[in-house]
Amino acid sequence: MSKKNILTGIKPTGTPHIGNYLGAIKPALKEMHNDMYNYKLFVADYHAHTTVKDAKVFQEYVYEIAATWLACGLDPEKVTFYAQVDVPELFELTWLLACHTPKGDLNRAHAYKALVQANVEKGNKDPDHGVNVGLFTYPLLMAADILLFDTNLVPVGKDQIQHVEIARSIASRINALYKTEVLVEPEALVVDAVAVVPGLDGRKMSKSYDNTIPLFCPEKRLKKLVNRITTDSSEPDAPKDPENSLIFDYYKLFASHKESEAFKSQLMGGISWGEAKAQLFEKINDEVKGPREIYNKLMENKDQIDKFLKEGAEKARVVAIENMKRIRGHLLGYQK
Ligand code: ADP
Ligand code: TRP
């Protein structure tokens, strides 16, 4: 049976946190060992430029994201790991796809629509206020990411399904027009992430809410952040209600079922929040301390990260050049 092409991208828009780890990184790396797949994973650096405009900050985020994946176990032998910047064919394909996309499809893309709606609600005279064209055409670059590599499956969170659908409909329109399978029509593989990881304040953990636990922050800071998690004000030896406790919510995310049950009994038996937090800290730290060491080493040795990305890009480009030649031939008649 031929292998399926599976591909996903990650935007370097901030320091990765434990929500990203549990909701995206860990589930994606599980598929790495699945021999049914030809796996590509890339840093969507050009997508991040729609919002991150400071080159220094941008570079830091790119390295942080790449180092995080490598530290969490991404095996560059198994996964083709690269950054968009090293695959110029993507930008050529973006243009060709743009010529086959009704503008209305992009008007309906949710990120753009949400901004327009916010402008309307604020009574802004210009509904497009603050919208750059890069943001508007974001789904086209994403479609190129997917279609350039004949991708069959795209693991994404629910919020990205629409973008994969846009890629699929562009591919099917082009195939119908040229009466042949110019492009593979991709499907979203919705990763049913662990339930949304809560932030320190109980809302969804997100860079935008400033309530995150950065995945690889130093041990001391991790301890401080765990101590900051909101709890109720019950007395130290009073029984605690695990079902209404953020501490228990976090604990479950890192522990086995058996460990969680034992922790639950302790809470109900009445241990102090201080003690519960100390145990939670140990639990998280146990899982992240090995990868944290690798992460720190890589961040001190960025040449190493560059080397991995460069080798990945070389592999990706062999495919990109070949596929782009095929697409150029069908759409424009060039045999080059
Ligand atoms: P943020 O909300 O911090 O900006 P992103 O939107 O960049 O995070 O998300 C990157 C990936 O991490 C996505 O696949 C998303 O589903 C996942 N993710 C982000 N926050 C959480 C969370 N709190 N719980 C579970 N998964 C999350
Ligand atoms: N838009 C995706 C996100 O915000 C990142 C991304 C860019 C992507 N290109 C992609 C995901 C291609 C899957 C396939 O998370």
Side-chain angles (χ1 to χ4, degrees), residues 188-226:
L189 182 73
V190 182
V191 252
D192 233 346
V194 285
V196 171
V197 177
L200 294 170
D201 55 2
R203 290 190 290 172
K204 169 187 184 273
M205 183 175 290
S206 171
K207 287 170 291 238
S208 339
Y209 298 149
D210 199 19
N211 62 355
T212 71
I213 301 182
L215 179 58
F216 294 134
C217 63
E219 212 170 280
K220 261 194 178 157
R221 171 122 194 270
L222 177 62
K223 199 173 264 176
K224 262 199 189 144
L225 289 171
V226 169

